[in-house]
Amino acid sequence: MTPIIQLGLGGVGRALARQMLNVAPKIRRRYGIDLRYVALVDSHGALAGDPALTDTQIHNILAAKEAGQHLDSLSGAITDRHWLELLPATIAIVVDVTAASNHAAPLAAAISAGHRVVLANKRPLCEGFDLFAALTERGATRYEATVGAGLPVISVLQSLIDSGDEIISIEAALSGTLGFLIGELEQGASFAEAVRTAYRLGYTEPDPRDDLSGADVARKALILARTCGMNIPAYAVSAEALFPPALSEISITEFLQRLDEAESEIMSRFQAARANGKVVRYMTRISRDNGIEVGLRELSLDHPLASLRGPDNMISFTTRRYHDRPLVVRGPGAGVEVTAAGVLGDIIATAREL
Ligand SMILES: NC(=O)c1ccc[n+]([C@@H]2O[C@H](COP(=O)([O-])OP(=O)(O)OC[C@H]3O[C@@H](n4cnc5c(N)ncnc54)[C@H](OP(=O)(O)O)[C@@H]3O)[C@@H](O)[C@H]2O)c1
C-alpha cells in the first residue's frame, strides 16, 4: 500500500479525492501500486482510516464537505493531533492542496522523516530559500500544479535543466484572471467594467485585489526562478499592482466602486501600446541577468505572448537549445479538475518511484 495524507478538501482537494477513487483501481492493475488515503485533513480536523479510509468513508467525507461542513463535525474526527502525528511508519505521500501559509516547516519535517510531498499550495515553496531547498532536494517534493495548474511546466523546466540545457530566459503569462481582464480591455471594455465583470462571474479571488496585486503571479515566478537554481528571497520579487495604494485598505464593495481611480493610468498604457502597434500583457520575465520582473509590458506583435487571448496561461522557455524559436507551453492555467489532475499525476509519479 502507498499511504497518502491529503491536506485540504476545498475545490481542488475534493476533485482530487474523486479522481483518486476513480483511477486507483486502474493504477493497481497497471502498476501494482495500491494508492490509499490514510487520512484526510481540513482546517478543523482530520479523519484517519485503520489502516486506510474505505471508499465509503471517503464518499461520506466528500458529501459532508460539499455540504459545507468541517471535519470536526463528523464522528471519529481527530482534532487534538497535528497531521504530522498521523503519518504512518512506512513512507507516505503528503499532499498539500490548501493555501495555508504555515506548512513549509512541517512538510520539511515529514521529508526529514523519509516521507514525500506533492503540492498545489505555492506558499511552502515561497518562504526562505533554505526551506525551498529542504523541500525539493533529491526530488522529495513534486509541485507541478503550483504553476500553470495541470499544464506541464515544472516537469518541462526540470527536464530541460536535467538534460544539460541552459535556461536563458522564461517569459510567461501566469494569471488566467489578468489574461481575462486584458482580453476584455482589448474588446473595448473599461478597466473598471472588466474587473466588475470578472468579479461577478467568479473569475477573481473573493477579494479581486489578490489577483490585481500580482502577488499570486509573483509566487509562481519565484517558484520557476528557484527551480532554475536562482537563490532569490521572496521579498526581492515585486509585482506591479493594477490599482493605486489608496485602494489597498478599503472594503471590497468600496474597492469595486472606486475602481475608476485606477482607470486612466491603465487605459493610457493600453492606448500607448496600440498607438505603437503593440499589445500589453501582464508578464513574468525571469533571467539570470535581471532576476524576476512581474508587471504590465508592451510587446511587439511577433512576441509569443502577443498571440495569447483570454484566460489561458503561456510559458515560453528560451534556452541554449531552444534559442531561435522558444519552447512554449500553453493552455488553461486554472480550474479545479485540471489542477487536481496535475496533482494526481505527481502522486502517481511519486508512488512509482517509491
Ligand atoms: N483552484 C485552482 O484553479 C487552482 C489552480 C492551481 C493551484 N491552486 C492552489 O490549490 C490550493 C487549493 O485551492 P482551492 O481552490 O481548492 O482552495 P479552497 O477551495 O479555498 O480550499 C482550501 C482547503 O484547504 C483547507 N485548509 C486551509 N488551511 C488548512 C490547514 N491549515 N490545514 C488543513 N487544511 C487547511 C480548507 O479547509 P476548510 O475546508 O476547513 O476550510 C479547504 O478545505 C491553493 O493553494 C491554490 O492556490 C488552485
Side-chain angles (χ1 to χ4, degrees):
M1 169 172 100
T2 303
I4 298 167
I5 289 199
Q6 180 177 313
L7 317 174
L9 287 163
V12 174
R14 293 195 303 275
L16 173 60
R18 281 192 299 269
Q19 291 183 14
M20 180 76 80
L21 287 173
N22 188 30
V23 303
K26 296 175 199 157
I27 297 299
R28 208 170 299 137
R29 281 196 298 275
R30 195 173 305 150
Y31 301 118
I33 293 169
D34 193 15
L35 298 169
R36 296 277 178 183
Y37 281 121
V38 293
L40 291 170
V41 184
D42 76 0
S43 64
H44 284 53
L47 278 161
D50 184 20
L53 293 164
T54 64
D55 286 7
T56 307
Q57 284 175 308
I58 296 167
H59 279 298
N60 291 341
I61 291 167
L62 290 177
K65 290 303 296 178
E66 295 286 354
Q69 287 176 256
H70 289 296
L71 294 186
D72 59 353
S73 66
L74 303 186
S75 123
I78 300 164
T79 54
D80 57 352
R81 280 190 284 161
H82 193 273
W83 54 261
L84 271 175
E85 298 172 54
L86 305 178
L87 284 165
T90 54
I91 298 177
I93 303 174
V94 183
V95 180
D96 183 352
V97 283
T98 73
S101 55
N102 59 348
H103 280 178
L107 289 170
I111 286 170
S112 306
H115 302 290
R116 306 288 289 271
V117 168
V118 170
L119 300 174
N121 184 4
K122 293 173 267 299
R123 290 169 194 267
L125 299 174
C126 295
E127 298 199 12
F129 187 80
D130 47 347
L131 266 174
F132 177 88
L135 288 170
T136 57
E137 67 190 350
R138 292 191 291 278
T141 297
R142 286 178 186 266
Y143 51 97
E144 186 63 84
T146 58
V147 181
L151 299 177
V153 178
I154 301 296
S155 51
V156 165
L157 178 56
Q158 286 174 331
S159 154
L160 289 169
I161 295 166
D162 289 347
S163 63
D165 206 346
E166 182 193 337
I167 309 298
I168 295 168
S169 67
I170 302 173
E171 292 181 315
L174 295 171
S175 166
T177 311
L178 297 181
F180 171 82
L181 290 178
I182 289 171
E184 292 292 288
L185 298 189
E186 288 180 338
Q187 303 278 327
S190 73
F191 179 66
E193 277 165 11
V195 175
R196 288 181 197 128
T197 305
Y199 179 74
R200 199 177 57 248
L201 295 173
Y203 292 170
T204 67
E205 292 293 319
D207 185 338
R209 283 167 291 197
D210 290 343
D211 297 301
L212 297 173
S213 68
D216 195 53
V217 176
R219 277 193 277 274
K220 294 175 188 175
L222 184 63
I223 291 171
L224 287 173
R226 286 179 166 180
T227 302
C228 294
M230 294 164 72
N231 182 346
I232 295 183
Y235 64 78
V237 187
S238 64
E240 179 183 0
L242 301 187
F243 57 89
L247 303 190
S248 304
E249 304 293 334
I250 55 181
S251 71
I252 297 173
T253 313
E254 194 186 346
F255 175 74
L256 290 168
Q257 282 161 356
R258 287 177 55 187
L259 268 170
D260 303 315
E261 292 173 34
E263 191 75 40
S264 61
E265 159 74 16
I266 303 277
M267 294 315 271
S268 64
R269 303 272 292 272
F270 278 78
Q271 280 150 8
R274 214 169 289 137
N276 294 333
K278 295 187 173 183
V279 293
V280 174
R281 295 287 175 265
Y282 196 87
M283 182 171 139
T284 294
R285 187 165 200 286
I286 301 165
S287 64
R288 293 229 172 249
D289 294 342
N290 296 317
I292 301 176
E293 300 159 68
V294 179
L296 286 177
R297 294 287 179 275
E298 258 188 35
L299 302 177
S300 56
L301 295 179
D302 60 356
H303 191 282
L305 295 187
S307 67
L308 199 59
R309 297 278 177 278
D312 274 5
N313 281 194
M314 185 187 271
I315 300 92
S316 167
F317 299 98
T318 301
T319 73
R320 190 164 42 76
R321 290 184 194 131
Y322 292 93
H323 193 265
D324 297 334
R325 284 184 302 130
L327 190 163
V328 174
V329 178
R330 175 182 182 162
V336 295
E337 292 296 336
V338 290
T339 306
V343 176
L344 185 52
D346 274 354
I347 293 172
I348 294 167
T350 304
R352 290 184 69 187
E353 255 171 38
L354 293 174

